Amino acid sequence: KNENIIMTTRGGSGDNEVRQCVWEGHVPVEFSLARNELATPDVPPRVFRMVPRVGYFALLGEELFSIFEPYTIKNSPVWFEVHYMPLKWNVPVGVQFDAICGVSDAAVEAEVSRPWQVTVHFQNFPKDDLWMQDARNPESMSWNHLNMLKEAFQLRHKSTKALQTLSEPHQAQIWQSVVSSNRVGFFEVMDTLVI
C-alpha cells in the first residue's frame, strides 16, 4: 500500500497545484457526425472544442445537435464514440481520454498533437453498452455526479457522511462548478467538508 500517492482533501501547496492542473486541463476534440446518420448529401462541418477534463460530453449534446441538426434525423439521445467504442455520458472527459489514450508521456503527446476524434450519434443508442439515462436532463446529470462523489468518498474516506450533510444550495454549487469549470467554486464547498 503506497500512501504517498493519496492526496489529502486539504493540504499543502502541492494539492493546489494538482487541483489547478486538473481543473484547468482541457482535451482538444474534433467532433464529427456519424457518416451512416447523414440524411442529406451535404457533409456537415467538423466541430472543434477544447473540452474541460472535468466536464462531460453529454453537456455538449444540445450544442452539437443544433450544429448537426440540418444533416441528420434524431431518434435517440445523443451519444459519442471513439474507434467504435461508445463513450460513457456519466464519466468525465479527462478520465475517458486517459483510459483510452493512455497516460504515458508518449501516448499523451501522440494524441494531444492532434484533436481527439470523437464521432457524434443521434440514432441507434447502444442500450447494451451504455446506461440509458437522459443525459440531457440537468437533474439526472447532477444526481449522477453527486452519487459519483459519494462513491469516491466511500472509497477514499470509508464514509459518505460529510457529503450527506451538504445543503441543497451547496450540492447545486458543486454541480454548477463542474458545468462551468469553476475550480474555486467547487473547492469552496469541498474544502468545508469535515472528514
Side-chain angles (χ1 to χ4, degrees), residues 2 29 38 41 48 68 76 95 103 157 186 190:
N2 186 350
V29 180
L38 285 174
F48 296 88
F68 293 136
S76 80
V95 172
V103 292
H157 304 290
F186 183 84
M190 294 301 286

Side-chain angles (χ1 to χ4, degrees), residues 23 54 56 59 138-139 141-142 145 149 168-186 189:
W23 276 80
V54 297
Y56 294 85
L59 294 173
E139 285 129 20
M141 297 220 35
S142 174
H145 186 262
L149 277 177
E168 284 189 30
H170 279 144
Q171 290 177 25
Q173 180 177 342
I174 287 173
W175 174 242
Q176 284 307 311
S177 296
V178 170
V179 170
S180 62
S181 297
N182 179 356
R183 172 180 58 94
V184 173
F186 183 84
V189 174

